[in-house]
Amino acid sequence: MNVRPEPMTTPAPHAPRDTEGVRAVLLAGGEGRRLGPLGRGRLKPLVPYGGTARLIDFSLANARRSGFRDVLLLSQYEERRLMDHLHTGWNREPGFRVHFGPYDQAYRSSPGAPSPVLPQRTRPPERGTADALISKADHVFEGDPSEILVLHADHVYRFDYGDMIRRHRASGAALTVSYQRVERRYVHLFGMVEFDAHGDLTRFVEKPSDPTSDLVFAAFCVFDAALLRRYLTRLQHTDWQHDISRDVIPAMLAAGERVRGYAVESHWEDIGTVDRYHRSHRGLLRRPPTMPLTDLPLTVRPELTPRFVEEGAGVRASIVRDDLVNHGLLDHCVAYPGVRVGAGATVRDSVLLPGARIPDGARLESVIVLEDGTVQHCDREPSAAGTVS
């Protein structure tokens, strides 16, 4: 039986006690292989988004707004590069920081250095999201937290986690999973969830080949910390896939643990492919937009104001920054800082990354123009690419 629990009422503003005892952890190990040229040479969490931010900034901004004082980074792929970026971008202001686990003290001891000397540490390669929790278990469970809030670094949404934490505690559940309704044809890309009439999770299938529900896991969740640790310990002695969605959640369900659902009524997107990346930007340009500019973190050149221009000099229905130099036409585009559009050029339905240069007379449609001039087409084959000429 697949019953969607009643929608949650509008969350009350968070209180400091909502996050007391909760350890927030951020899974940020993606390589971005499915993004083609857009993901090549950069970490997936650092992929630019919306003309204002990078993908990882959304979960961090949500955590800060929800009252968390820090978020523990769980990463391995090019971890040093990611930590350097987050240290200079997020750890400058008091009141909130990204915690780097075994490397955190080195960064704290070198506040003015973007890339301090780090202690040597060896560990086996991670095979799944559960391995990321195990690898830094000393930091995940340090201080005996009551709950673990698990976040991902490639989701676009604005959310206050306080109400979800309050409801999780009130229910006495072992786990509360976020979920959202999507078109049935997209369910196979996600973790499918089904609930009973009381709002308890009855079924969880990662990337089902034949979906029976249109509800999907929105990939952030609240675990009872002691139970999470117990299941991670048990699973290490089995033949498992080292994954939260494929192993930990199904194991809890199979053991009869109570798992609750929390409906995400606001906009939420998983940016897993270049097609979804492009389609998501189209949503920003709709009127009304899927996410207003005020909901996007402003972390890329915040001194340059992002603006939606309905109709202006050479610009139609586009998001631009104050330093745009435009001698052509931008039509339904998102332009990052430093973009230059040559005389007579026409760019439609496209995303122009920081510093992109469009030559005189160019004609581009449904593309992403990368910083180095690579043009990635989005209307047919996501991996197709060329160069602006």
Side-chain angles (χ1 to χ4, degrees), residues 95-122:
F96 179 84
R97 67 178 282 108
V98 184
H99 193 289
F100 300 130
Y103 308 113
D104 199 63
Q105 189 54 47
Y107 280 96
R108 286 179 183 270
S109 300
S110 308
S115 191
V117 176
L118 300 183
Q120 293 296 314
R121 181 170 181 255
T122 58

Side-chain angles (χ1 to χ4, degrees), residues 26 55-67 71 90 96 151 157-161 295-299:
L26 178 60
L55 291 180
I56 196 171
D57 296 333
F58 285 87
S59 290
L60 290 173
N62 288 335
R64 181 173 62 185
R65 280 192 295 262
S66 298
V71 172
W90 278 92
F96 179 84
L151 308 173
Y157 66 117
R158 179 173 177 136
F159 193 83
D160 186 333
Y161 304 114
D295 282 357
L296 274 61
L298 187 57
T299 55

Side-chain angles (χ1 to χ4, degrees), residues 7 25 38 260 266 272 310 353:
V25 302
L38 176 62
R260 297 287 292 171
S266 55
E310 184 71 51
L353 296 192

Side-chain angles (χ1 to χ4, degrees), residues 132-197:
L133 292 167
I134 293 167
S135 175
K136 293 184 179 174
D138 289 350
H139 300 279
V140 173
F141 299 103
E142 183 180 15
D144 293 323
S146 52
E147 293 88 17
I148 306 295
L149 171 67
V150 177
L151 308 173
H152 284 70
D154 53 0
H155 297 147
V156 170
Y157 66 117
R158 179 173 177 136
F159 193 83
D160 186 333
Y161 304 114
D163 188 64
M164 184 176 179
I165 293 167
R166 285 196 297 271
R167 288 176 181 267
H168 168 80
R169 287 171 169 169
S171 73
L175 166 65
T176 297
V177 297
S178 60
Y179 70 90
Q180 189 167 76
R181 188 182 300 278
V182 302
E183 291 182 52
R184 185 69 66 92
R185 61 189 172 127
Y186 294 124
V187 172
H188 72 281
L189 300 170
F190 302 95
M192 183 190 74
V193 294
E194 295 182 358
F195 298 91
D196 64 19

